[in-house]
Amino acid sequence: MSARRVLVTGAAGYLGREITGALRRLGAQTFGCDRAGGEGVETADLEEAGAASALLARLEPDVVVHAAAIVPVRGDDYHDQAQAELNLRLVDRLIAARPKRVVFISSMTVYGEPCAGPVAEESA
């Protein structure tokens, strides 16, 4: 893994931070981007035309781990078509930039509607 250059999108969020830390422990050279920026994370809004292409051209990652998403604020937002379309545009713009390899990671609606929280990874 030490020879891998990995770009993590959404690196300032919980999932992105965890992925970046795990990759670094494995010896990967990591770069992070996020709409909000952050410590050690570049500010990049993948919704902007050309942002993903410029980032990939400059960083030349071997792999892009795509964890960026617009996170719903309210429960009803999980079923908001406009928000879903925005997240799809982020993926479309990333793919259009032609990265060598993409790993898509999301935890947005994996669990469905929980009966109680917090939801553990072992839950069905």
Side-chain angles (χ1 to χ4, degrees), residues 74-86:
R74 302 166 306 164
D76 290 346
D77 292 342
Y78 280 93
H79 305 287
D80 183 321
Q81 186 65 30
Q83 219 167 21
E85 289 172 6
L86 174 56

Side-chain angles (χ1 to χ4, degrees), residues 8-120:
V8 179
T9 68
Y14 175 78
L15 190 56
R17 284 191 314 268
E18 292 296 314
I19 293 166
T20 300
L23 289 168
R24 285 182 180 156
R25 287 189 295 279
L26 291 171
Q29 182 181 8
T30 62
F31 307 92
C33 72
D34 195 281
R35 172 184 297 214
E39 185 177 335
V41 176
E42 293 195 36
T43 302
D45 186 350
L46 298 179
E47 189 181 2
E48 293 178 14
S53 295
L55 202 57
L56 294 178
R58 187 167 47 79
L59 298 176
E60 299 179 341
D62 298 309
V63 179
V64 176
V65 177
H66 182 62
I70 305 304
V71 179
V73 176
R74 302 166 306 164
D76 290 346
D77 292 342
Y78 280 93
H79 305 287
D80 183 321
Q81 186 65 30
Q83 219 167 21
E85 289 172 6
L86 174 56
N87 283 322
L88 286 174
R89 272 196 308 276
L90 298 180
V91 174
D92 286 342
R93 293 196 189 227
L94 178 61
I95 298 301
R98 304 189 53 86
K100 292 178 186 176
R101 183 171 285 162
V102 175
V103 176
F104 178 82
I105 298 189
S106 173
S107 64
M108 293 308 301
T109 56
V110 171
Y111 301 117
E113 299 294 329
C115 295
V119 177

